Amino acid sequence: MRKGTRAYIGFVELHPTNVDSKVDVILKHYQHTVKKELGGRAKAMVVTGSRASAVKYQRAFQKHIEREKLPLQTLVAFSGSLPDPDVTAIGNVAVPEVTEASMNPELRGRDLAGVFSQEDQNILIVANKYQTGFDQPLLTAMYVDKQLSGIAAVQMLSRLNRRADGKKNTYVLDFVNDPAQILAAFQDYYEDARIETDSDPDLVAKQMTKLDAANIYTPAEVNRVWAAWSDRNGKRGALTSALVPAVERFTNRWSRAVYDDDAAARDELDKFRSLLDQYTTSYAFFSQILNFGDTYYLKLSVFADLLARLLREQLDGGERETVTADDVVLTHYRLEKQRDEDLQLEDGEARGLQGMTEAGMTRQQERERAAKAELVEKVNRFLGGLDASDEHKVSAVELLVREAAENTDLQQQARNNTRVDFSHSPQVRLVLEDSVWNQNRQSEAIAKRFQELPPTDLVELAMAFDLWEQSRAG
């Protein structure tokens, strides 16, 4: 239910009516209240919740500015590329991608932050990028359309706390957050903020030792990946081939652990995957303040990031969204002012800041365990009561789905249909039934239960393991 709710909320947030209404409010407020500050030099930032939202905001701003002939300039900042959120896929035609450069043609290769500092620039729309560590003294207003909490809220809104001659007022117009939660976030770090636990400077070295000890890769392979990654004239194929040995070692061990129903081995491999992400995060944090004195630390951070991504593609089908709002139509929408808030901080005991430690890096792993628990519960709805471990039952369904997702007909259907339409396709049922009979690695009890399941239950179980997404990625 939570995932479905998020999908519908995302649909509404990105709907043109919603975005246009907010842009209209922002422009009026900026024109009448903000722009006159600092002798007419005041700048504003619009904080969005996603790259797709940032793209839609930029286009809505441009439409309003052109239609009303406003003397304003906007820029949009986000990382990487994404499919154009205003283009709907038709058949096998690929959706064109948009980038920061394509959305800001006036940059012409120049640094975006530098261009925004020019006098003729007024509003910067951001998606994650520039939300922390961005120093622009003329920034006077912030329009927030993203959920904020904790230290992230403090860091984001503190972009306004840059001194400039004549700067007396700052403004925040928030479309989504509860003022009490924002106040609570700042109160935690007001006056008596302190560090309760120090960051462990040896954390990166400890994580490196654990990664090396897993024997999934060799230092020579790390060096080859680094050479391919840092070669500006290199080809993607060279980078991928350099990662192949490590991927094969991991997937071979994973398949063996699944075949042997070795829960301990699978748990160790899961920990290795989590550690890859943790090492990348830890190195990025500590490298800002520490000189490790050995380039292998940097090389391994690149290697770990790329290997983690490939393993996600191999074993999980990449990052997945399991609920869509494709069939939802927005019929009513109203944007209304709730209230003005004067958030005053109070003296009192503040919560301490937590440093980066090995214990703190386990949170992501706990989230992964929770996700697995949901799958186990789903599996036991259909395979409960069998004399087999949960790991074995989950592995059986994973293998079933992986084999079915290799079917070229399903791959074609998944790319050309929504998740709902795909799940009702007769071809899905036929392929799953064939896959059940082809599973030689499953225990006789599980295979027998698969054969006894009604086709609708079999489809529901396969969809819980993302047959649709894996087929699309195949």
Side-chain angles (χ1 to χ4, degrees):
M1 179 65 69
R2 290 193 301 273
K3 290 182 180 179
T5 300
R6 286 198 297 271
Y8 297 135
I9 290 174
F11 168 79
V12 173
E13 287 176 347
L14 292 180
H15 196 280
T17 301
N18 187 356
V19 175
D20 286 345
S21 298
K22 292 177 182 177
V23 166
D24 184 60
V25 171
I26 292 171
L27 284 173
K28 288 178 179 176
H29 183 267
Y30 179 78
Q31 284 279 88
H32 299 150
T33 305
V34 178
K35 194 174 187 299
K36 62 186 179 182
E37 299 282 347
L38 297 173
R41 297 180 299 140
K43 299 179 183 293
M45 176 182 284
V46 179
V47 182
T48 71
S50 68
R51 297 182 300 168
S53 180
V55 170
K56 284 181 171 286
Y57 259 102
Q58 170 71 337
R59 288 172 173 165
F61 270 111
Q62 292 298 318
K63 183 177 69 174
H64 279 253
I65 290 171
E66 291 174 5
R67 184 180 64 226
E68 300 170 24
K69 296 181 172 56
L70 300 176
L72 300 176
Q73 296 288 332
T74 63
L75 294 169
V76 59
F78 58 90
S79 301
S81 62
L82 71 154
D84 193 321
D86 290 323
V87 177
T88 302
I90 301 176
N92 293 324
V93 179
V95 175
E97 294 196 335
V98 293
T99 64
E100 186 179 271
S102 68
M103 291 297 297
N104 300 291
E106 65 273 28
L107 290 181
R108 297 188 295 275
R110 295 176 295 170
D111 175 64
L112 189 145
V115 173
F116 183 60
S117 67
Q118 297 175 1
E119 289 189 5
D120 62 340
Q121 293 294 333
N122 308 102
I123 300 173
L124 176 63
I125 305 151
V126 300
N128 295 325
K129 194 173 181 181
Y130 295 133
Q131 293 189 15
T132 60
F134 179 62
D135 188 3
Q136 175 46 256
L138 301 182
L139 192 63
T140 305
M142 192 169 287
Y143 303 96
V144 181
D145 196 14
K146 176 183 180 178
Q147 289 287 344
L148 299 174
S149 62
I151 189 63
V154 177
Q155 291 177 325
M156 180 72 262
L157 298 176
S158 293
R159 298 308 99 206
L160 294 171
N161 282 347
R162 297 298 183 268
R163 293 174 180 254
D165 291 339
K167 188 175 182 178
K168 298 179 180 179
N169 302 309
T170 56
Y171 306 87
V172 176
L173 196 160
D174 196 319
F175 292 103
V176 295
N177 292 285
D178 183 347
Q181 292 181 342
I182 297 297
L183 179 60
F186 274 84
Q187 189 68 50
D188 281 338
Y189 305 102
Y190 177 59
E191 270 203 353
D192 193 30
R194 63 194 180 278
I195 297 178
E196 290 185 343
T197 58
D198 294 333
S199 294
D200 181 3
D202 297 323
L203 177 61
V204 179
K206 293 175 182 176
Q207 292 173 336
M208 176 191 289
T209 299
K210 291 182 178 179
L211 287 173
D212 289 347
N215 294 320
I216 298 294
Y217 59 84
T218 67
E221 290 165 0
V222 173
N223 287 327
R224 280 199 294 274
V225 168
W226 171 259
W229 183 83
S230 56
D231 183 2
R232 293 185 178 181
N233 298 319
K235 297 182 179 179
R236 179 178 176 82
L239 182 61
T240 302
S241 63
L243 287 160
V244 165
V247 172
E248 288 183 344
R249 290 190 198 99
F250 185 96
T251 53
N252 287 340
R253 292 190 196 179
W254 183 267
S255 298
R256 187 161 59 250
V258 169
Y259 180 76
D260 295 338
D261 195 17
D262 190 340
R266 287 189 62 180
D267 188 53
E268 286 302 312
L269 292 169
D270 273 334
K271 289 180 180 177
F272 175 82
R273 292 177 66 188
S274 295
L275 194 56
L276 290 172
D277 289 325
Q278 292 172 15
Y279 179 85
T280 303
T281 301
S282 300
Y283 178 82
F285 174 78
F286 282 104
S287 63
Q288 300 177 67
I289 53 177
L290 296 177
N291 181 0
F292 289 96
D294 185 346
T295 57
Y296 185 74
Y297 284 90
L298 171 60
K299 294 176 181 178
L300 183 59
S301 73
V302 172
F303 181 89
D305 181 44
L306 295 173
L307 179 58
R309 295 185 189 189
L310 275 181
L311 291 179
R312 278 195 292 271
E313 293 175 3
Q314 290 281 333
L315 301 177
D316 302 333
E319 297 180 357
R320 304 187 296 269
E321 178 58 55
T322 58
V323 180
T324 69
D326 293 341
D327 301 323
V328 179
V329 176
L330 185 68
T331 59
H332 297 82
Y333 175 79
R334 182 177 66 180
L335 180 66
E336 61 181 15
K337 179 179 178 180
Q338 297 293 322
R339 57 190 175 276
D340 290 323
E341 294 284 350
D342 183 12
L343 305 182
Q344 298 292 336
L345 295 170
E346 298 178 358
D347 295 336
E349 184 175 355
R351 187 180 65 190
L353 304 177
Q354 304 296 320
M356 184 175 285
T357 63
E358 190 167 9
M361 297 297 288
T362 62
R363 293 176 183 172
Q364 177 62 32
Q365 189 170 346
E366 290 304 316
R367 287 193 290 268
E368 293 170 359
R369 291 180 185 275
K372 288 183 179 179
E374 292 183 11
L375 284 181
V376 169
E377 182 179 353
K378 188 78 170 181
V379 167
N380 282 326
R381 280 183 53 196
F382 302 104
L383 305 181
L386 291 177
D387 186 17
S389 68
D390 289 341
E391 286 285 338
H392 198 167
K393 287 181 281 189
V394 169
S395 299
V397 183
E398 287 176 339
L399 287 173
L400 170 69
V401 171
R402 196 174 306 159
E403 179 177 336
E406 293 175 355
N407 183 279
T408 55
D409 291 335
L410 284 198
Q411 292 172 6
Q412 184 75 10
Q413 288 194 18
R415 294 190 184 105
N416 296 327
N417 292 277
T418 67
R419 179 184 178 87
V420 174
D421 292 338
F422 177 83
S423 67
H424 289 90
S425 167
Q427 184 71 12
V428 172
R429 302 182 185 186
L430 293 175
V431 171
L432 285 172
E433 290 172 347
D434 288 343
S435 297
V436 168
W437 293 101
N438 291 334
Q439 284 214 45
N440 298 321
R441 292 184 175 181
Q442 302 307 315
S443 69
E444 182 178 350
I446 291 179
K448 187 174 185 296
R449 180 61 62 87
F450 274 149
Q451 296 162 15
E452 294 171 350
L453 283 178
T456 53
D457 289 351
L458 191 61
V459 171
E460 183 179 350
L461 184 56
M463 294 301 289
F465 279 76
D466 297 317
L467 172 61
W468 182 70
E469 286 84 1
Q470 291 192 42
S471 299
R472 282 170 62 89

